[in-house]
Amino acid sequence: MASRANLSDIAKALGVSVATVSNAMSGKGRVSQELGRAIREKAKELGYVPSLAGRALSTGRSHVLGLVLADIGHPLFPQFAQAIEHAASEAGYGVLIGDSRGDVEAQSRAIDRLIERGADGIVVVPRHGTRIADIGRPVAVIDSASTPGNTVAADHWNGGVEMGRHLLELGHRSIAIIGLHSDSNVQNDRIGGIREAFFGKGESRLVWIGEMERSLGSGCPLGLVRLVEEGVTAFAAVSDLHALRAITELQQGGVSIPADVSVTGFDDLIWAGVIAPSLTTMRMNMERIAEIAIADLIWQIERLNAAETAPALPAPRHPGRVPMQLIMRQSSGPVLGRSALGDRASVHVRSASSTATDPA
């Protein structure tokens, strides 16, 4: 395999010094526009690819970003990582990934390792209940709009409002909301939105999986069949994983979905459309969230590296909250007059409005 072209190859082809080529490629030093253009054209012709290590030495920047995920084992986060990597690549940056595995200390260690490896800035999807302080590098936080220091987030609250409205429109007036961690800003925003929609129109009760498992053990039954017997007609889980757990427990207890009760989720994980019944859920626009996070992070990096005499760079304009989409599938249906599952097999998409309504 032929070796990759380097600065010496370009210099030899044009009869100039390596320093001249380096200055032309980096935009430093005094190189005429005509010669600079010739050097760049020759570099393209020879297939020259700049070395990130070499560029880091000359500019003091690695053009590598770090990404710390709350738990890469969760099926949502590989999709997040892919969206972040694509947005960073489009901006000319590589990405190194760290995993906190849901542990506060592991999160700190992952951030430290990425800093040691020379990341110019770091995107953090924090563990629930944690706040990212000053880490000595530009940072973009993706969590909830209610998280201190948050950069961008899905509109979790309004997503909850939209899900609550969906269940109300189907005639549900008594629902149970299923969450995992009571200290999660994302889950609390989703729950708050659902409850806002139901305010004055129905009743909602909370099922915290984490609290039940601390008392009864990991994987314990959630008592959902009993709630159905008490009059609950729908379960609104704030994660597709919790919705799947609810569907499994209810079906094992002889409860039919959606003939007896409805079940909904959040996140639209890759399998949500293929389980039986297929899951009604809220979808995040991860591509847009990633674009905003990377744009903000690069703005911070550029501002930090700008010369003191240069004018201040304008901050990028973007919304702090990105609307979610309601994906209606088979797992949610009306309280009365339900049709056969096959009649509602198609998937419908509706955009959630960007502003939550006041309680009625």
Side-chain angles (χ1 to χ4, degrees):
M1 186 176 70
S3 60
R4 190 172 63 182
N6 54 34
L7 297 182
S8 296
D9 295 328
I10 301 170
K12 184 178 180 180
L14 294 174
V16 297
S17 68
V18 172
T20 299
V21 174
S22 177
N23 288 337
M25 299 300 291
S26 65
K28 295 183 177 181
R30 296 182 178 180
V31 180
S32 69
Q33 290 185 357
E34 182 179 353
L35 179 55
R37 188 181 306 110
I39 290 173
R40 288 188 293 272
E41 289 177 354
K42 180 58 68 174
K44 184 177 181 180
E45 176 187 330
L46 296 176
Y48 170 74
V49 178
S51 164
L52 289 179
R55 183 161 58 181
L57 289 173
S58 63
T59 66
R61 291 166 55 183
S62 66
H63 281 261
V64 170
L65 304 177
L67 170 62
V68 177
L69 297 169
D71 181 3
I72 203 168
H74 190 291
L76 176 67
F77 291 122
Q79 298 178 56
F80 247 129
Q82 186 177 51
I84 289 291
E85 194 282 331
H86 178 73
S89 178
E90 288 292 303
Y93 283 77
V95 176
L96 296 174
I97 297 178
D99 179 18
S100 72
R101 302 183 297 280
D103 181 78
V104 178
E105 293 183 0
Q107 178 173 273
S108 297
R109 290 195 299 270
I111 292 172
D112 290 343
R113 281 195 298 269
L114 291 171
I115 292 174
E116 290 170 359
R117 285 162 173 75
D120 291 330
I122 300 176
V123 178
V124 182
V125 182
R127 175 193 181 275
H128 64 89
T130 62
R131 180 176 178 177
I132 306 303
D134 183 7
I135 62 173
R137 285 286 194 284
V139 63
V141 177
I142 301 176
D143 193 36
S144 164
S146 60
T147 300
N150 187 73
T151 302
V152 62
D155 195 342
H156 301 289
W157 185 284
N158 205 53
V161 170
E162 189 72 7
M163 185 61 79
R165 288 175 179 166
H166 170 65
L167 293 173
L168 285 168
E169 290 170 359
L170 292 173
H172 297 281
R173 295 297 181 270
S174 178
I175 70 169
I177 305 172
I178 303 174
L180 180 61
H181 300 294
S182 59
D183 62 347
S184 166
N185 289 335
V186 167
Q187 293 190 26
N188 280 313
D189 280 3
R190 293 173 174 180
I191 291 168
I194 296 171
R195 288 191 139 178
E196 178 179 307
F198 267 75
F199 185 83
K201 298 177 182 178
E203 63 175 6
S204 62
R205 63 184 84 184
L206 274 175
V207 176
W208 286 114
I209 294 175
E211 294 179 5
M212 295 188 69
E213 290 191 333
R214 279 191 290 273
S215 300
L216 304 175
S218 178
C220 67
L222 302 179
L224 304 186
V225 175
R226 175 179 53 80
L227 295 181
V228 174
E229 294 170 350
E230 293 175 0
V232 169
T233 63
F235 294 91
V238 295
S239 164
D240 287 353
L241 288 177
H242 310 151
L244 179 60
R245 181 168 176 176
I247 288 173
T248 301
E249 181 172 322
L250 289 165
Q251 289 178 333
Q252 289 176 345
V255 178
S256 178
I257 303 164
D260 298 324
V261 295
S262 292
V263 178
T264 63
F266 265 80
D267 297 331
D268 194 27
L269 297 179
I270 192 169
W271 44 258
V274 297
I275 62 171
S278 57
L279 183 63
T280 293
T281 185
M282 295 296 301
R283 176 186 295 165
M284 284 190 288
N285 187 342
M286 287 186 284
E287 292 76 14
R288 180 61 181 144
I289 292 171
E291 289 172 1
I292 293 172
I294 294 299
D296 188 276
L297 191 58
I298 292 176
W299 170 74
Q300 294 182 54
I301 295 169
E302 296 289 350
R303 185 179 61 170
L304 186 66
N305 286 275
E308 294 182 359
T309 57
L313 296 169
R317 294 184 178 182
H318 55 69
R321 306 181 188 189
V322 177
M324 305 186 81
Q325 290 180 313
L326 173 61
I327 311 297
M328 293 185 285
R329 296 193 179 100
Q330 295 173 333
S331 68
S332 61
V335 176
L336 297 175
R338 294 182 175 90
S339 60
L341 287 179
D343 293 337
R344 291 179 289 106
S346 60
V347 175
H348 306 279
V349 179
R350 183 170 66 197
S351 295
S353 56
S354 58
T355 305
T357 58
D358 295 330

